[in-house]
Amino acid sequence: MNLKTPTPSLLFFSSFPRSRTTSLHSPMASTLALPLSHSSDPTTSSSADLDDLVCCDGQKRVQPLETPSFCSESPSRSLNGGESRIERAWDHWKRLGRPKLIVAPMVDNSELPFRLLCRKYGAEAAYTPMLHSRIFTETEKYRNLEFTTCKEDRPLFVQFCANDPDILLEAAKRVEPYCDYVDINLGCPQRIAKRGNYGAFLMDNLPLVKSLVEKLALNLEVPVSCKIRLFPNLQDTINYARMLEEAGCSLLAVHGRTRDEKDGRKIRANWSSIKAVKESVRIPVLANGNIRHMDDVHRCLAETGVEGVLSAETLLENPAVFAGYRTAEWVAGSEESFVDGKLDQADLLVEYLQLCEQYPVPWRMIRAHVHKMLGEWFRIQPQVREDLNAQSTLTFEFLYGLVDQLRELGVRIPLYLKDDDVAEVSTADSLDTSTS
């Protein structure tokens, strides 16, 4: 296990008093905010919806970033020379360092502070939340509210849902200087995606899907990626993946469940189907599904042959998964030896809140993360959860106090490490000390 040491240009606040906030005008806190949106149009939101307010709303959030340089020709550009296009897709992936541990796109949940927290604890790349391409192009408030990034937030996939190639391209053009892939959401199975005709429901209109990919592939400098679900028939899925590759997709993330298989806790992802897709295309492939701890990561990579794995729900509960930490649920009954990792979800929540003070986001996102990270703690002390739910307006002072209250009530649920992981960390720490 190898925890990342924060670079001087990004401040993880764990060593500072909890009230300390770095000025957003300083180089340490340079942040880019662009126009975006999510499931509802913020221009029509009621002023009474206080969770849509941005924490630290009084601070200036927009700081321009230097535009990164990409190769002169995108991996997706020029759909004719197929072999050279595939080579460029791989070259791009290699330049990014071949990330294997990746934060999946999660609506309202994979925002900048959470991505940075996961990166500290082992994540090597991350997706933004799904952004609505039409609202993103039309509404500056949405862009500023829903998408922020910083120079430490790389490699980064910016994901859009769309059903109009021109609108998608307009949205993608706004973010391409600040990301490593523009990703098309072809996998969302929720009712809102059906109503909006996007996500996994575009599987019923493959010509439209092809046109979306081609539009971006022919007009962006940054490569195009796609995230898909399985068809019930494996050959249909393979044909789908090959079509996306031919249309200009440079990287494919495959969720190993069908559109109708929405409950990830009850329905296991089909790794054998992901393996079949991997063996059918020539571009890099990522796997999504069944990642509960690092043993699952290693098994998935070995069984599917993919380049990397995505995690979503598991990270929401335990953002330190990729650093080898696991919750008690995945320790109980194991024949291996585990020890208290000297880290718990309340520690992680405090780090997340400190990042939110530096990189403000809407309170609704913060509220959701509090419930996810402290869900098991609230089961032990449900009145603390009731106090949280009773707050129409959240403050950092209240949330830090909530953590203190749980600790004073004697609640602590540790995250666990394998014995050999602890030994590895101890060795790495002693080496760092000897060379400092």
Side-chain angles (χ1 to χ4, degrees):
M1 188 200 62
N2 185 19
L3 288 187
K4 295 180 180 177
T5 302
T7 60
S9 58
L10 176 62
L11 194 57
F12 292 105
F13 289 93
S14 56
S15 60
F16 286 89
R18 62 179 52 168
S19 61
R20 179 168 178 171
T21 304
T22 300
S23 166
L24 295 186
H25 296 283
S26 74
M28 286 186 181
S30 61
T31 306
L32 172 76
L34 294 177
L36 293 79
S37 186
H38 74 306
S39 57
S40 62
D41 187 338
T43 61
T44 62
S45 296
S46 165
S47 60
D49 192 358
L50 299 177
D51 268 4
D52 272 338
L53 295 177
V54 175
C55 66
C56 307
D57 228 352
Q59 303 183 56
K60 184 175 176 64
R61 305 172 65 224
V62 181
Q63 294 284 340
L65 297 180
E66 292 183 5
T67 301
S69 59
F70 294 99
C71 57
S72 59
E73 188 169 18
S74 160
S76 307
R77 190 69 65 85
S78 174
L79 300 183
N80 294 321
E83 202 60 46
S84 61
R85 179 166 50 83
I86 300 301
E87 290 173 359
R88 290 195 298 273
W90 279 102
D91 286 345
H92 184 75
W93 184 246
K94 292 172 185 175
R95 280 195 300 274
L96 297 178
R98 294 176 174 266
K100 287 184 169 61
L101 310 174
I102 301 166
V103 180
M106 295 172 277
V107 173
D108 274 359
N109 285 147
S110 59
E111 79 290 356
L112 177 59
F114 188 74
R115 295 196 300 269
L116 293 178
L117 180 64
C118 293
R119 288 180 192 275
K120 179 185 177 183
Y121 288 96
E124 298 167 348
Y127 285 72
T128 66
M130 181 195 77
L131 305 171
H132 192 295
S133 58
R134 178 185 58 78
I135 305 175
F136 193 86
T137 60
E138 294 176 352
T139 311
E140 182 177 3
K141 179 180 177 181
Y142 177 72
R143 294 192 296 268
N144 288 332
L145 192 66
E146 303 294 332
F147 175 68
T148 52
T149 189
C150 62
K151 64 182 180 180
E152 291 82 12
D153 188 29
R154 306 296 285 271
L156 180 65
F157 295 72
V158 176
Q159 187 185 78
F160 289 103
C161 68
N163 54 30
D164 183 300
D166 293 324
I167 291 175
L168 175 59
L169 178 61
E170 183 179 351
K173 282 286 189 181
R174 290 178 180 267
V175 302
E176 71 168 328
Y178 310 105
C179 65
D180 300 285
Y181 289 92
V182 171
D183 186 79
I184 305 175
N185 182 325
L186 301 173
C188 180
Q190 304 304 323
R191 284 194 297 270
I192 190 169
K194 184 175 184 178
R195 292 197 302 270
N197 188 34
Y198 60 78
F201 297 92
L202 294 184
M203 296 166 77
D204 299 329
N205 189 346
L206 297 187
L208 175 56
V209 171
K210 184 178 181 181
S211 70
L212 292 171
V213 178
E214 287 181 339
K215 190 72 171 184
L216 295 192
L218 288 169
N219 292 281
L220 294 182
E221 295 298 329
V222 67
V224 181
S225 61
C226 297
K227 189 169 185 292
I228 66 170
R229 282 188 172 238
L230 304 175
F231 279 92
N233 179 279
L234 177 58
Q235 189 56 53
D236 289 340
T237 304
I238 290 172
N239 294 342
Y240 185 34
R242 287 173 173 166
M243 181 204 75
L244 293 171
E245 179 183 78
E246 291 170 4
C249 177
S250 292
L251 179 142
L252 189 62
V254 184
H255 190 135
R257 298 180 178 92
T258 68
R259 187 170 69 191
D260 295 328
E261 294 173 337
K262 301 175 187 177
D263 192 335
R265 289 191 174 270
K266 293 181 180 178
I267 302 171
R268 300 287 290 162
N270 189 333
W271 286 355
S272 63
S273 292
I274 296 176
K275 178 182 179 181
V277 171
K278 165 64 183 171
E279 293 173 347
S280 301
V281 297
R282 297 172 293 165
I283 56 177
V285 175
L286 308 176
N288 187 191
N290 300 353
I291 302 300
R292 303 160 300 181
H293 43 68
M294 283 303 292
D295 288 347
D296 286 339
V297 171
H298 300 314
R299 281 196 294 267
C300 184
L301 292 173
E303 291 182 23
T304 63
V306 295
E307 278 59 57
V309 301
L310 278 63
S311 179
E313 287 294 327
T314 298
L315 279 173
L316 291 178
E317 183 179 353
N318 171 19
V321 166
F322 288 146
Y325 293 91
R326 63 177 73 189
T327 58
E329 179 182 6
W330 307 116
V331 170
S334 174
E335 296 179 359
E336 297 182 89
S337 177
F338 291 87
V339 296
D340 185 336
K342 308 303 180 185
L343 181 75
D344 60 39
Q345 288 140 309
D347 296 329
L348 292 171
L349 177 61
V350 168
E351 290 191 67
Y352 169 73
L353 293 175
Q354 291 166 339
L355 285 166
C356 290
E357 289 190 87
Q358 184 180 8
Y359 300 103
V361 294
W363 282 111
R364 69 171 187 276
M365 298 181 182
I366 298 174
R367 188 186 291 269
H369 283 298
V370 173
H371 279 287
K372 284 289 187 179
M373 284 190 229
L374 296 185
E376 291 300 320
W377 300 53
F378 289 154
R379 288 185 180 90
I380 298 172
Q381 295 290 346
Q383 77 277 7
V384 180
R385 178 178 54 213
E386 291 169 7
D387 289 344
L388 171 63
N389 292 339
Q391 304 300 311
S392 59
T393 304
L394 290 179
T395 65
F396 286 111
E397 181 181 9
F398 172 81
L399 293 174
Y400 288 129
L402 180 145
V403 172
D404 289 340
Q405 183 183 3
L406 286 168
R407 296 212 186 279
E408 289 166 3
L409 290 168
V411 181
R412 182 176 183 268
I413 306 175
L415 296 173
Y416 294 88
L417 288 171
K418 287 185 179 181
D419 267 338
D420 52 356
D421 288 338
V422 174
E424 181 183 334
V425 171
S426 299
T427 302
D429 288 345
S430 63
L431 288 174
D432 288 342
T433 302
S434 65
T435 56
S436 61

